[in-house]
Amino acid sequence: MAEKRRPGVDGAADRGVVATEHTLVVFPGYHRSWAAWIAQCLERHGHRATQQRWDPPREVPLEDSLGDLLLSSGRVLLVLNDWFFELGPRPAGEWNDVLRGFVAAHADRFAAVNLTNRPLLPATAVLEPASLWGLSEEAAEERLLSRLGLERRRTPRDIPTPLRYPETRAEVWGEVPRRNPRFTGRDDLLTDLHQRLSDAERGASACALLGMSGIGKTQLAAEYAHRFSSDYDMVWWINSDDRNIQRDRFGELAVELGLRSGSEPGERIRAVRDALRRGDPHSRWLLIFDGWDDTEGINTLLPQGPGHVLVTSRNRGWSEHTEILEIPAFLRAESTGYLMRRAPHITSDQADEVAVEFGDVPLPLVQAASWLGESGMEVPEYLRMVRERKLSTVDEPAIGEGFPQSSMTSWSILLNRLRRSQPQAIDVLSLCTSFAPGRIPLGLIRAYPQAELPEDLRWMATDLPAWTRALDTLVNYSVLTRETRGPAGAEMGPHQESVHMHRLVHDVVSKLTSEDSRAIHRRAVRTLLAEADPGNPVDSRNWPRYAELLPHLEPSGALASTQPRIQAAVLNCLRSCFRSGEYKGALGLAQKIRDHWSRSVEPLAQPMLDLTTQESNTLRAMGRFRDAQELDRGVLERLQAAPQDNVLGELNTKSAMASSQRSLGRYEEAYELQQEVLDGTARLLGQEAVPTLTARHNLGVGLRLLGRYAEAYEFDLETLSRRESVLRARHINTLNSANAVAHSLRLLGRYRDALARQEPVVRLHVQVLGPLHPQTLGARAQLAMCRRREGSHQDVGPSMASLLEQLVQVYGRENHRTLSFLTNYSNYLREHGDLNQARDLIAEAEGGYRALLGPAHPVATGMLANTGLVMQASGERAEAMSMFESALAGLTATLGPDHPWVLGCALNAASARNLNGRIADAVDLSRDTLRRARHSLGEEHPLTLSCQVALSADLRAAREQEEAGKLEEDGLLSLTRTLGAQHPHTISARQRTRPYWDFEPYLG
């Protein structure tokens, strides 16, 4: 403890008697962070301090409330600013009277610090407040101790987790709304919220603030961020009205935290979640998701770790995911206190009457207080106007959610006043209703002055002072909140400006805006959106801009527009959703576009055909292959029946149908149709045209599915070369071709060549698209299989497990991409002895494919082979043979006897026959399988050599030793030459371990 000498009897001071000093730090809740810092500062220097939040009821005389403070020992330190004297609020003059009387009489017990440069009440002089305004931390500490007459420790005591000086923001402070200087009450709610988050277990510190629109959830979350900011090193605000913007904003943290990640949203999100979970670089973090009403996809975004999460929402479904804090209306004292502070001329009884009128709901009370305070109108006149709705522009509005009817008239009063005093503010406000609620990129108006704005709105692009005045007016009336986005600390120009409009404000103003004005403004907004279209939805660098535009397509009327430029922008937004892997969002948008265009766009017009292509692609990406096929078939039938030929339209539709047919297992049909598409596009557009190259790539996919691997490789190699020449190496389509080449090499058994190609391909995917882009995930899965088949002694299990987890995170467990890798990983687990997990995963994958494709699909049939391998490894020989025979019969019927999948099933079935004592049958099947494999795959393909080794084993069992020995010796030499002496296949053959074939599902 610090020492303070006091003169005393018997020379106590001379003997260094230490007197303990205690200070009661009294603060309004608004200054909690200052009070905490002051208390910590005193304790560091050896003095005791107690904090007391203070908001005395105005019904209790001020002298009595101050007298209660003196019941504590030591000094009472009041933390002052101009807000302090509005607590209550008190009748005029009461504070000055008490300061001059009661406080002056106990001046030795009271002290004060001042946190503002605004003038305080004259009688505050009795407290001799020490001003801390604008001081550095060291200077503030010195002045505080000096005012209290306390000595400094030469070496202050260390505090385990020191609080940040309130004037110093967190290291990362992202888009938190400015602090509302008029924030009222809610102290108990904020304290409760802080306690809940602090007491929660690590990884579970999340709380959702629930309540109706206008109840003050956002204001409460913003005040929490400011009031408890000293508890955190990172505070990040995420507007969550729109899923795409929410994901983009969450992903921006990757840049702020200096994380290494690509530009793809999913990859950034994963990097951020991982950093938050680890608490590196910041363990004291706070994330606020504002307006998160759609709880789908929570597991993808909601972080866990040592920090805290706040969510504001109207959706009660959050009770299943986080702790819930219901946000009620204001307490009556909070309502009346707020009204009396904003409108000092009204009495407490009048304030009570206004509070009753608006049901203590904060948002309409803010508007009422603003109106009463600005106009000076008396309450009886104001309430009469509200109740009689004399100024209302709508009849019997119904806005739901328990919002008081009378508030509509209150808004009408405000808008009429603005029409007279600041008509340009009304223009801006009305324009905002043609955007979606939430974040509105108003800066587009100034960023694209060439846009065809209506004559009465052109001032917005040319008159910056008027623009600024209009926004300032709306912000001052609590109608809009300003936002800026950009690099930390960077100056934002007007063209980058955005505002936030509460959903309820948006709804109300929309109802109070004439339909003629809204029609004009919607036309202006959709023109601006089209101007802001980057024009290249394939480029991942443009995806954040498209995410910003997406929410505003529907409210602006862009989805229903017949203007070609706007239709092109709409389609580009749709393409960006698909290209960035947001398949569900893409499908929802496509269906909305179709609903609108079906009323005004000809079914066979080019925009509608382009829409169908995107919708079909999205359906297939989501595994809805039959729906995609039906959609394309309907379009093709209309094209073929049309009086005018549209050859290119037919070819594009046939290409989409071929993709669906491949996914549905109709491989020959799909190949023939794809060949027709390739021939047609090459003839119409030329060999180097992008559609022709796409058709070539898809033909390679079809060849792989038919088991014609050598032809597929030649096609893939040629397509890659042409795409590198036409599109360049880093284009997303070129990367896809590079992946296809490695795939074909692997299926040809050229494992080392495939691995050598795929490793740089994956690196490029990660650089260009990010690790979690759908195409990158496919390339990474291909690399995992290349490493597994290449047979190096590196254990690929952990990397496969990690990749599976990421696939589940991006797609869920039922998507066909996840099921494919789930199968491959389970086969790996079976190989390495984890039969229980392998059995569970194979069963899951087999059931998933049956549900998705039907039991007769070649992939669903082929999965029986994997089930049989698990059974055989577990000693269930008879059951395994039944699985193998079923797979063999089913695939032979659908694919023919020479398909590699059939040959693999035959290899397994022959093994099962041997193990079950059917030696002659095993020999017959093995001999026939080897003959077919040599014809289909060549004599040195790994599957052919496995068939040769298997036949030698069956011949030995049949006591035909000479032929068995010759086949075995020749097979070993070939395996050593092609795969290497140390490859697992070669070693197994040398040890006479029976070869097997695991089925690798592939839908194309």
Side-chain angles (χ1 to χ4, degrees):
M1 298 291 288
E3 295 183 352
K4 179 167 181 175
R5 300 176 182 270
R6 288 185 179 177
V9 297
D10 301 326
D14 295 336
R15 294 193 297 273
V17 175
V18 177
T20 301
E21 292 293 332
H22 174 259
T23 302
L24 181 70
V25 184
V26 177
F27 65 98
Y30 195 77
H31 285 315
R32 178 261 178 193
S33 59
W34 272 103
W37 177 84
I38 289 169
Q40 175 185 268
C41 182
L42 295 175
E43 289 166 359
R44 286 179 68 237
H45 290 279
H47 309 292
R48 292 190 303 117
T50 305
Q51 301 173 57
Q52 181 163 328
R53 178 167 56 83
W54 198 60
D55 187 3
R58 66 172 179 267
E59 296 81 13
V60 177
L62 189 53
E63 186 172 310
D64 291 351
S65 295
L66 287 167
D68 289 341
L69 297 178
L70 295 182
L71 296 175
S72 69
S73 62
R75 303 287 287 281
V76 175
L77 179 68
L78 304 180
V79 181
L80 302 180
N81 69 346
D82 48 338
W83 172 263
F84 189 94
F85 299 105
E86 292 185 17
L87 294 173
R90 299 279 164 181
E94 182 178 0
W95 260 111
N96 272 327
D97 291 343
V98 171
L99 287 169
R100 293 174 182 134
F102 181 84
V103 174
H106 299 87
D108 61 325
R109 296 287 310 281
F110 286 99
V113 293
N114 179 22
L115 305 178
T116 181
N117 65 341
R118 298 190 188 94
L120 301 178
L121 294 177
T124 310
V126 70
L127 293 167
E128 299 178 8
S131 176
L132 305 186
W133 187 82
L135 297 183
S136 68
E137 182 171 10
E138 185 177 357
E141 183 178 290
E142 184 70 41
R143 188 166 292 181
L144 169 68
L145 294 171
S146 174
R147 173 63 187 90
L148 294 172
L150 302 175
E151 293 181 1
R152 296 176 58 98
R153 273 190 173 183
R154 290 183 181 176
T155 304
R157 182 166 61 87
D158 287 334
I159 302 294
T161 308
L163 296 173
R164 186 181 305 103
Y165 184 54
E167 290 291 306
T168 305
R169 268 192 175 171
E171 288 184 45
V172 178
W173 183 265
E175 289 192 17
V176 180
R178 296 175 184 176
R179 196 170 195 182
N180 180 1
R182 298 189 176 103
F183 184 86
T184 291
R186 307 294 206 184
D187 286 333
D188 290 333
L189 273 176
L190 286 162
T191 302
D192 182 17
L193 177 58
H194 183 255
Q195 196 66 44
R196 290 183 187 212
L197 292 175
S198 301
D199 291 347
E201 295 178 3
R202 177 189 168 99
S205 298
C207 187
L209 309 181
L210 292 188
M212 71 176 189
S213 294
I215 205 66
K217 303 182 295 294
T218 298
Q219 287 289 326
L220 190 69
E223 175 60 21
Y224 180 90
H226 287 281
R227 185 171 296 194
F228 296 97
S229 62
S230 57
D231 289 3
Y232 302 101
D233 298 317
M234 184 196 93
V235 180
W236 197 253
W237 187 279
I238 300 171
N239 291 320
S240 303
D241 292 313
D242 178 83
R243 184 170 183 264
N244 290 304
I245 290 179
Q246 178 193 45
R247 287 170 56 84
D248 182 44
R249 176 66 181 147
F250 187 91
E252 287 174 2
L253 253 180
V255 178
E256 291 291 334
L257 298 179
L259 305 179
R260 297 183 62 183
S261 62
S263 60
E264 198 273 327
E267 192 278 328
R268 284 188 171 190
I269 287 168
R270 184 174 180 275
V272 171
R273 283 187 50 143
D274 186 58
L276 296 176
R277 178 184 56 78
R278 291 183 287 106
D280 181 17
H282 301 294
S283 61
R284 302 194 310 169
W285 50 261
L286 170 65
L287 258 63
I288 301 173
F289 295 89
D290 184 41
W292 193 351
D293 290 335
D294 182 5
T295 58
E296 185 170 345
I298 283 176
N299 294 332
T300 303
L301 282 186
L302 193 67
Q304 294 184 335
H308 296 163
V309 178
L310 266 186
V311 175
T312 73
S313 181
R314 299 176 301 174
N315 188 342
R316 305 194 66 81
W318 277 99
S319 60
E320 299 175 11
H321 306 280
T322 67
E323 189 160 6
I324 297 300
L325 184 60
E326 293 277 358
I327 308 303
F330 271 156
L331 299 174
R332 182 54 49 81
E334 293 173 334
S335 300
T336 56
Y338 180 80
L339 288 163
M340 293 170 70
R341 275 188 288 276
R342 293 291 305 274
H345 67 285
I346 71 176
T347 68
S348 60
D349 289 340
Q350 290 172 334
D352 191 83
E353 195 173 358
V354 174
V356 170
E357 183 69 26
F358 294 109
D360 294 300
V361 176
L363 188 57
L365 283 174
V366 168
Q367 300 301 323
S370 176
W371 170 258
L372 289 167
E374 293 286 337
S375 67
M377 180 180 288
E378 294 298 327
V379 168
E381 175 65 8
Y382 175 78
L383 289 177
R384 182 186 64 79
M385 294 174 67
V386 169
R387 289 165 182 163
E388 294 178 3
R389 305 206 316 274
K390 288 187 175 180
L391 300 181
S392 178
T393 59
V394 293
D395 293 324
E396 298 300 330
I399 59 179
E401 291 197 355
F403 194 77
Q405 178 71 44
S406 53
S407 68
M408 289 294 286
T409 306
S410 175
W411 275 92
S412 181
I413 294 171
L414 172 61
L415 296 184
N416 280 323
R417 183 167 187 264
L418 289 176
R419 283 191 183 95
R420 293 191 298 271
S421 63
Q422 180 59 277
Q424 288 173 322
I426 290 294
D427 289 343
V428 174
L429 188 60
S430 299
L431 186 68
C432 285
T433 63
S434 294
F435 290 90
R439 185 176 182 276
I440 298 175
L442 274 183
L444 294 179
I445 297 166
R446 303 193 62 80
Y448 300 100
Q450 72 274 19
E452 296 180 8
L453 295 175
E455 186 174 352
D456 61 340
L457 298 184
R458 288 175 191 164
W459 65 269
M460 296 183 186
T462 58
D463 191 344
L464 180 57
W467 168 266
T468 304
R469 280 195 306 273
L471 285 183
D472 286 345
T473 299
L474 295 172
V475 171
N476 289 340
Y477 271 95
S478 305
V479 176
L480 300 177
T481 303
R482 261 199 183 92
E483 293 183 348
T484 54
R485 302 187 79 190
E491 286 289 327
M492 294 288 99
H495 65 288
Q496 294 168 300
E497 191 159 24
S498 63
V499 296
H500 189 273
M501 191 178 204
H502 192 283
R503 183 182 286 103
L504 183 57
V505 175
H506 187 279
D507 291 346
V508 172
V509 176
S510 296
K511 289 179 171 64
L512 296 175
T513 302
S514 72
E515 189 53 43
D516 288 345
S517 294
R518 291 185 66 199
I520 293 171
H521 293 162
R522 282 197 297 269
R523 188 159 56 247
V525 169
R526 55 183 178 259
T527 300
L528 287 166
L529 296 176
E531 290 290 338
D533 173 13
N536 186 3
V538 177
D539 191 333
S540 61
R541 293 169 296 184
N542 293 328
W543 293 342
R545 167 51 68 91
Y546 282 113
E548 187 176 50
L549 302 180
L550 275 167
H552 308 293
L553 295 178
E554 188 166 21
S556 69
L559 299 185
S561 175
T562 57
Q563 299 267 336
R565 177 73 184 86
I566 296 172
Q567 289 181 337
V570 167
L571 285 173
N572 280 341
C573 287
L574 175 60
R575 291 186 183 101
S576 78
C577 282
F578 175 77
R579 286 292 190 168
S580 62
E582 296 287 344
Y583 299 138
K584 184 174 181 182
L587 183 59
L589 178 59
Q591 291 169 342
K592 286 181 180 179
I593 297 171
R594 184 173 294 281
D595 287 344
H596 287 284
W597 285 9
S598 61
R599 304 166 200 158
S600 57
V601 180
E602 289 296 321
L604 299 183
Q606 193 57 48
M608 190 67 91
L609 294 177
D610 291 342
L611 170 63
T612 300
T613 298
Q614 294 306 312
E615 189 174 354
S616 174
N617 288 340
T618 305
L619 286 167
R620 276 190 298 278
M622 297 176 72
R624 294 173 56 180
F625 308 122
R626 291 182 181 83
D627 291 340
Q629 185 184 42
E630 289 305 311
L631 179 65
D632 293 323
R633 178 183 285 120
V635 173
L636 183 60
E637 289 172 355
R638 285 195 293 272
L639 281 168
Q640 291 173 335
Q644 290 185 330
D645 290 341
N646 183 346
V647 178
L648 192 57
E650 287 189 35
L651 289 172
N652 287 336
T653 306
K654 286 178 179 178
S655 180
M657 287 190 67
S659 295
S660 296
Q661 288 171 344
R662 284 194 296 271
S663 299
L664 291 169
R666 293 154 59 181
Y667 303 141
E668 288 286 357
E669 231 179 295
Y671 175 76
E672 291 173 5
L673 193 57
Q674 192 66 61
Q675 183 68 66
E676 180 185 341
V677 171
L678 176 57
D679 293 343
T681 52
R683 185 173 59 253
L684 280 176
L685 305 175
Q687 292 287 352
E688 307 300 315
V690 172
T692 306
L693 296 178
T694 300
R696 285 187 61 86
H697 174 84
N698 290 338
L699 196 66
V701 174
L703 286 167
R704 275 195 297 280
L705 286 166
L706 287 169
R708 294 159 62 178
Y709 300 146
E711 293 174 76
Y713 171 65
E714 295 301 327
F715 253 87
D716 293 333
L717 204 59
E718 178 67 20
T719 305
L720 174 61
S721 175
R722 294 188 182 191
R723 278 180 164 173
E724 285 176 337
S725 174
V726 174
L727 302 174
R728 302 298 182 236
R730 296 171 67 88
H731 192 280
I732 189 171
N733 292 351
T734 307
L735 294 175
N736 204 21
S737 282
N739 188 63
V741 169
H743 191 183
S744 292
L745 278 171
R746 182 169 62 79
L747 294 177
L748 281 169
R750 295 169 57 182
Y751 301 141
R752 276 176 292 202
D753 293 341
L755 180 60
R757 272 193 172 270
Q758 191 65 4
E759 284 178 333
V761 167
V762 167
R763 284 196 293 271
L764 260 182
H765 269 84
V766 171
Q767 290 171 16
V768 176
L769 302 174
L772 290 187
H773 187 277
Q775 188 169 304
T776 308
L777 288 170
R780 290 172 63 199
Q782 186 70 245
L783 178 59
M785 293 305 294
C786 287
R787 286 173 173 161
R788 181 179 169 222
R789 299 300 188 201
E790 191 268 340
S792 65
H793 295 291
Q794 176 188 359
D795 184 8
V796 298
S799 62
M800 291 185 77
S802 175
L803 181 53
L804 177 58
E805 181 182 330
Q806 292 167 35
L807 285 161
V808 171
Q809 177 185 328
V810 172
Y811 297 119
R813 296 190 75 90
E814 296 175 357
N815 185 274
H816 59 95
R817 298 173 184 83
T818 308
L819 294 174
S820 175
F821 199 73
L822 191 71
T823 302
N824 295 333
Y825 181 52
S826 63
N827 285 331
Y828 166 86
L829 291 172
R830 187 204 68 249
E831 276 184 346
H832 289 76
D834 192 345
L835 293 181
N836 289 333
Q837 188 178 3
R839 184 187 295 272
D840 291 343
L841 294 182
I842 282 292
E844 180 183 353
E846 185 188 338
Y849 275 123
R850 268 202 312 272
L852 182 67
L853 306 170
H857 191 286
V859 167
T861 305
M863 287 298 296
L864 298 176
N866 294 325
T867 302
L869 288 173
V870 173
M871 291 177 170
Q872 186 163 278
S874 302
E876 303 168 45
R877 294 180 176 182
E879 294 85 350
M881 185 169 69
S882 175
M883 290 290 115
F884 294 145
E885 296 287 0
S886 295
L888 176 59
L891 287 179
T892 301
T894 55
L895 302 179
D898 295 330
H899 193 286
W901 291 358
V902 176
L903 299 175
C905 287
L907 175 70
N908 293 339
S911 170
R913 292 177 184 182
N914 187 320
L915 289 172
N916 283 275
R918 294 171 53 187
I919 304 301
D921 290 342
V923 170
D924 290 344
L925 181 56
S926 288
R927 199 181 293 281
D928 182 63
T929 303
L930 175 59
R931 179 179 59 79
R932 294 181 184 281
R934 284 171 171 169
H935 176 263
S936 298
L937 297 172
E939 297 205 353
E940 294 196 336
H941 190 283
L943 180 53
T944 303
L945 296 176
S946 291
C947 292
Q948 184 171 333
V949 171
L951 176 57
S952 69
D954 291 334
L955 288 169
R956 270 197 310 275
R959 303 186 185 281
E960 298 181 30
Q961 301 294 344
E962 183 178 351
E963 184 181 0
K966 188 173 183 298
L967 281 171
E968 182 180 52
E969 182 180 359
D970 181 60
L972 277 170
L973 286 172
S974 296
L975 283 169
T976 302
R977 184 171 58 253
T978 57
L979 299 181
Q982 298 304 312
H983 192 282
H985 287 358
T986 308
I987 294 172
S988 294
R990 193 179 303 124
Q991 295 172 346
R992 292 187 172 176
T993 302
R994 180 79 187 218
Y996 58 85
W997 174 83
D998 55 45
F999 175 68
E1000 183 184 327
Y1002 175 54
L1003 291 180

